[in-house]
Amino acid sequence: ETGVTQTPRHLVMGMTNKKSLKCEQHLGHNAMYWYKQSAKKPLELMFVYSLEERVENNSVPSRFSPECPNSSHLFLHLHTLQPEDSALYLCASSRKSPNRVPRNEQFFGPGTRLTVL
Amino acid sequence: GQNIDQPTEMTATEGAIVQINCTYQTSGFNGLFWYQQHAGEAPTFLSYNVLDGLEEKGRFSSFLSRSKGYSYLLLKELQMKDSASYLCAVRPHGNYGGATNKLIFGTGTLLAVQP
C-alpha cells in the first residue's frame, strides 16, 4: 500500500469523449504530480502542483486539463484525446521541497491504463 | 538538454548478481533515485544517492559517482520476484524558489530473472 490511490485503473474512451482521472494521497504531502508512461519511453512529467498551485506545465496539449482542489486530491480532465495519448498515467506525491528532508522521494499510485480508440 | 541513459533490457539467473548502470547529463544535480516497477504496478522507491559512494540496503546496493555522471544498482542473490523494470531518476536543481522535487527519468531497464 503506497498511500496514493488512482481511479479508474483502466479506461477506454473514444476521441470525442470527456473523462476524468482521479488521484488521492493519504500521506500528508503538499506536492502532487501527473506523469505519462508510454512503452519504451521515460516517464514524462506533465504537471506539478505545489500547495495546490500549478508550478509546472511541461508543454502538455490543452486536451489535458489538471485540477488540484486541495493538497490531497488531483484530477486530470481529458477531452478530445488522440490515439497517441493511450498510455499509463501515473500520479505521485511528495513534500514540496527536499530542502528539509533531503531524500524526499516521490510516492506513486498504481496508474490508470488509458486506451483511446 | 537533460538525458538519462540505462540499458533497455537485461537477463540474469536466479541466485546470481546483476548490475544495472545509469549515466546522466543534467543541468544540475540534487540526488539520484532508483525505483522498481513490476508490470501493471506503481513504481516503488528503492534507493537514494546524493554523495559519491555506495549505499547498501539488504540485497540491493546503489553507487554514485557525480564526477562521472554515473550510477549503478546492484542486486544480489537474485530472486524470481526481482523480475521488474528498474527506473533511474535524477533530481536536477530547480528553476524556481531553490531546490524542487522534480525528477528526470530514464526509460527503465527491464530485468528478467530466469530459473
Side-chain angles (χ1 to χ4, degrees):
Chain A
E1 180 59 53
T2 64
V4 181
T5 58
Q6 290 187 243
T7 55
R9 294 294 308 276
H10 301 272
L11 178 63
V12 179
M13 59 187 289
M15 293 169 62
T16 58
N17 292 157
K18 291 183 180 180
K19 296 287 184 182
S20 295
L21 310 185
K22 178 182 176 182
C23 175
E24 184 173 358
Q25 60 95 2
H26 312 274
L27 301 168
H29 291 157
N30 52 16
M32 297 187 76
Y33 314 78
W34 278 117
Y35 288 90
K36 176 183 179 182
Q37 188 175 36
S38 304
K40 302 191 184 303
K41 289 186 176 181
L43 260 72
E44 301 173 45
L45 180 63
M46 300 174 73
F47 302 103
V48 181
Y49 275 83
S50 177
L51 299 174
E52 300 151 41
E53 175 187 356
R54 189 190 312 177
V55 295
E56 183 137 358
N57 176 350
N58 280 354
S59 302
V60 177
S62 59
R63 56 187 184 266
F64 295 91
S65 174
E67 177 189 1
C68 187
N70 55 62
S71 60
S72 298
H73 294 86
L74 185 66
F75 295 90
L76 188 63
H77 303 299
L78 317 171
H79 63 97
T80 59
L81 294 191
Q82 304 298 311
E84 59 265 30
D85 297 322
S86 298
L88 181 68
Y89 288 85
L90 290 164
C91 172
S93 72
S94 75
R95 292 182 182 85
K96 171 176 173 286
S97 166
N99 285 348
R100 293 192 176 188
V101 184
R103 195 175 86 184
N104 198 22
E105 70 270 30
Q106 293 183 18
F107 290 78
F108 285 84
T112 296
R113 173 66 63 186
L114 174 66
T115 303
V116 181
L117 301 177
Chain B
Q2 320 242 55
N3 194 48
I4 313 286
D5 286 315
Q6 49 182 133
T8 304
E9 297 179 357
M10 297 183 71
T11 302
T13 304
E14 192 175 15
I17 299 173
V18 70
Q19 178 175 311
I20 303 174
N21 296 324
C22 172
T23 58
Y24 63 90
Q25 302 93 38
T26 56
S27 57
F29 182 83
N30 191 22
L32 185 144
F33 296 79
W34 284 95
Y35 280 83
Q36 180 191 60
Q37 185 179 23
H38 286 100
E41 296 184 12
T44 55
F45 169 79
L46 282 181
S47 69
Y48 166 72
N49 296 73
V50 67
L51 299 177
D52 291 351
L54 189 68
E55 294 285 340
E56 297 185 83
K57 191 193 302 184
R59 294 189 299 115
F60 292 6
S61 304
S62 57
F63 172 83
L64 174 67
S65 169
R66 288 171 296 170
S67 63
K68 295 181 179 179
Y70 169 69
S71 173
Y72 67 73
L73 179 69
L74 194 71
L75 291 75
K76 303 176 184 176
E77 303 170 14
L78 280 173
Q79 302 175 10
M80 298 298 290
K81 67 178 182 180
D82 297 329
S83 294
S85 185
Y86 291 85
L87 311 178
C88 175
V90 171
R91 183 168 60 205
H93 289 307
N95 296 323
Y96 46 86
T100 75
N101 212 27
K102 173 181 174 178
L103 296 178
I104 308 297
F105 280 86
T107 56
T109 299
L110 184 60
L111 174 66
V113 179
Q114 299 177 339

